[in-house]
Amino acid sequence: MGTRWKVPVLTQVILILMEYINLSPRFYSRETVAYALANYVSGLSSWRAVLPHSTLLYYHRRLSYVRYAVPLSGVYAIDETKVRLINGQYYYVWIVRDVKTKGIPFFMVTSVRSGVHVLVVLVNMSRVEEIAMRVFRRRIDKVIYLHDGATAYNAFSWFNVEHEKVTFNERDYAEQGFRSLKHRLASMDFHFPWNSNKFTITKWLSTFFLINNILCCPVCLLDNGVIINVNISNE
């Protein structure tokens, strides 16, 4: 994603999303809001958009509440990376990405990383899988997690979950998700604003990964059952 995605493409994707979730701006046209959001997602500063700064962030935050599901195969790459605030504080962003469907069904933001957080991932992924199997009518017969050598991932063995330590190839799918994120954060000097916190970062990332998923795989909007299938791969 980031500036590697063309603004016209992002604008059309966001317009489709706004139509399906019935997001109708009061003082601006959908086209204007979608165009502003597309530029912002592509890396433009929120202060330079065609919408006022607060208005742009309001609509960006509105998208973070969209409930959706992506198709799953059971073969997942998991990874985590640091995101920083201007004041030097940092958080860990964890993502799980399906190796075959390329969707990112789950992410979370934590202050530290440990084996306990692997359990949090597993509990949440179990719920996500139930929804995905019901929505896409596709069984998940086997689950395996691919990861790097971080000690936190030893916890998969504690919970008797099949996993494999890998360096490149399949696990690179998780890193590709982070490349898109880091590419977007580059225009922010790789820092979130000073007044950000875990909640606001999570909301910002929710919108980011929603759009990322729509671009990469089918996405089912859970509140109305509509499946958006744009599938514009950047890999």
Side-chain angles (χ1 to χ4, degrees), residues 4-216:
R4 289 176 292 180
W5 294 106
K6 302 299 184 181
V7 170
V9 173
L10 284 171
T11 301
Q12 292 305 311
V13 167
I14 295 172
L15 271 173
I16 293 172
L17 178 61
M18 292 176 66
E19 179 179 354
Y20 282 133
I21 65 174
N22 197 27
L23 178 56
S24 300
R26 293 183 60 186
F27 303 109
Y28 301 91
S29 68
R30 277 182 176 169
E31 290 76 12
T32 299
V33 173
Y35 178 74
L37 287 170
N39 276 281
Y40 178 60
V41 170
S42 294
L44 184 70
S45 169
S46 58
W47 295 100
R48 298 176 58 192
V50 295
L51 294 179
H53 171 77
S54 59
T55 303
L56 174 68
L57 296 185
Y58 167 78
Y59 286 111
H60 188 272
R61 188 167 59 253
R62 282 285 301 272
L63 296 182
S64 72
Y65 293 98
V66 175
R67 298 169 58 249
Y68 66 94
V70 297
L72 301 176
S73 69
V75 183
Y76 309 129
I78 182 171
D79 207 352
E80 83 289 332
T81 191
K82 286 182 179 180
V83 294
R84 299 181 181 277
L85 277 61
I86 288 178
N87 61 11
Q89 184 180 4
Y90 63 84
Y91 293 94
Y92 290 97
V93 177
W94 304 63
I95 70 167
V96 176
R97 194 176 195 214
D98 193 291
V99 171
K100 296 182 179 180
T101 71
K102 301 178 183 177
I104 296 176
F106 178 72
F107 81 93
M108 66 180 181
V109 180
T110 65
S111 300
V112 296
R113 57 179 178 178
S114 69
V116 174
H117 295 104
V118 172
L119 176 59
V120 175
V121 170
L122 292 174
V123 170
N124 281 276
M125 280 300 297
S126 178
R127 298 169 183 162
V128 168
E129 287 166 349
E130 289 181 5
I131 295 172
M133 286 190 289
R134 184 177 70 249
V135 168
F136 293 100
R137 299 179 181 179
R138 181 185 301 178
R139 289 190 56 179
I140 302 173
D141 296 317
K142 179 181 178 181
V143 171
I144 182 172
Y145 285 86
L146 310 177
H147 58 82
D148 61 17
T151 56
Y153 298 126
N154 293 335
F156 282 117
S157 296
W158 307 346
F159 306 121
N160 296 317
V161 175
E162 186 172 353
H163 64 106
E164 181 180 349
K165 175 184 174 182
V166 292
T167 304
F168 299 107
N169 299 326
E170 287 90 349
R171 194 182 69 84
D172 191 53
Y173 277 104
E175 294 179 346
Q176 287 169 358
F178 282 135
R179 285 194 206 108
S180 297
L181 174 59
K182 292 176 180 178
H183 191 74
R184 173 59 185 87
L185 294 179
S187 63
M188 299 161 62
D189 196 27
F190 297 102
H191 292 79
F192 280 92
W194 65 271
N195 59 344
S196 299
N197 54 45
K198 181 178 177 180
F199 176 79
T200 58
I201 292 174
T202 299
K203 286 300 180 185
W204 192 94
L205 290 172
S206 293
T207 297
F208 179 87
F209 287 127
L210 167 62
I211 296 174
N212 181 90
N213 279 328
I214 292 176
L215 290 166
C216 295

